Amino acid sequence: MHPLASCSSSSRSRVARSRIAKQPESQQRGARVVRAANYDSNFLERERKTNADVNAVRDEVRATLQRLMTGLQDQAAGGPGGAAAGGGRDAAAGAVLARLKEKLRNAIAVMQEGLVERDAEVRLLLLAAMAGEHILLIGPPGTAKSEVGRRLNALIDGTYFERLLTRFSVPEELFGPLSMRALEEDQYIRQVDGYLPTAEVAFIDEIFKANSAILNTLLTLINERLFDNGNRRVPVPLISMVGASNELPESEELDALYDRFLVRRAVRQVSPSGVAQMLTYYSGSEGSASAAAQRAASIPQSMLLTRADIDSCKAAALSSVRVPPAVIQMVTDLRTYLQEKMEPPVYVSDRRLVKSIQLLQVAAYCNGRESVTEYDCLLLQHVLWQRPEQADRIHDWVVAQLSIDDGLKQVQYLLSGLFSRACRSLGNPEKVADILHEVSSLKEVLSDKYLQVAGNLNGGFPVVLDNLWLASEESEAVATALEPKLVKTRAAVEQVLFDVVMLEVALRNGADPVTLANLMPKHWADFIRNSDITEVKPIGTTPLAGGRRP
């Protein structure tokens, strides 16, 4: 460039700057004030609008949540249509179940009369009978093992069979003698009247003394309720068999028989604190040996348990009681724990696992419920052990699982995912509509969870304390251990429910990113922190209310 041209350009720049500098300072300051005022005016207007939107959404959330919580609290307390009113079950079916539960209460009271510290044994025997299963009682002699079986039979006024096995017992002792007249006609037929094939309730003491001559026939009879008599296979009326033994089976050939007894209970001697009560009772000062019969006579005939009640129970339970995924998962995890993490491992056969689920359905049905709960899994301590000392470990594992609320953590994770998707979908009505549908489903899940927790707290933990099949001492101990956890869970459910309703109302009102950020700042911060910058930048271009000016 020519030196003169360069000089001329520089001169013009200096002239321009000198002209600006010669402008009055008041004019320069005024221009800046006008620009700032315009910016502040726009910012304040946006802030006022954002605050108005946020407050409107919050007001609607409070009103929506109040209506929702009022309805849930009414249901938890047993209001119209509530959980205590029988859920989706019609009134007639509910009345039938209530009547059955009352009959079972009467049956438990009759069978317990005069027995000291045999609450659990009586309840488990009755549950096994209602489920069409058999119970094994393991314990020393003289601990009332046979007495509970006799009382069940007396209750339903059925045919009863009792026998003590030895290593030298022969099939005729259980299944009846051969018919001499039939032998003359070349037929191998037994006279079964008065023997095991005609019994409705049976008590077999020292069950594991059964030899191979008895074993195969016994397995078919107790598992399939069939008896091979000659060339005919005939059904047997057996409701439940009570097997008793002083020891566990030693031989592998007895494993199949051992597995046929779904319910198992170790029976111990009466504790020192209960001995005085037992001796006083049987001394005649507070009753007599016929007290159970007297107790039964005091109950109206229509409220006593019948054979028809037992026969119809299992089929009705399997057809009407659902097993939620949470219960399936708990049972699956328990089997894994027993077989892979316990030492020595506890084998659980597939048959036993399936039957345990069916037993839980019967237990829930008799308690008047339409669904099995995780609390019913407490009964598995009497089902899945191989040795008596393992029952306590199963009980402790189930209680520990009941104290962990993984379900609520999963809901919180789902809510975070829905919030992130909602932020990315703003401005797309179709995607927002899909998210609203998912949010509504999540709200239903939380509502069900709240009903379960609040119903237990408000009603004195009925799912445990009012459970027919849990012994009173056990149910009280479990309720005491779990109640503080339920209080915390209820508060956590209320908070998550508040956030879900907040997101639902915000999306329904067409909230923008700024409004969402103000309504749910924690979720917004998690979204910003965990998202890619390319996704966040287009959403976050609008300044937040109260933020800095650029």
Side-chain angles (χ1 to χ4, degrees), residues 413-431:
Y413 178 79
L414 289 173
L415 176 59
S416 296
L418 285 174
F419 183 87
S420 299
R421 286 173 53 201
C423 291
R424 297 186 184 97
S425 303
L426 294 176
N428 188 324
E430 292 183 0
K431 290 185 177 180

Side-chain angles (χ1 to χ4, degrees), residues 494-524:
E494 289 174 351
Q495 180 57 53
V496 179
L497 197 54
F498 177 83
D499 289 343
V500 169
V501 172
M502 181 77 77
L503 180 60
E504 181 183 45
V505 173
L507 294 179
R508 199 166 52 231
N509 283 273
D512 57 24
V514 178
T515 304
L516 272 181
N518 278 273
L519 289 169
M520 307 177 73
K522 182 181 181 300
H523 289 279
W524 177 265

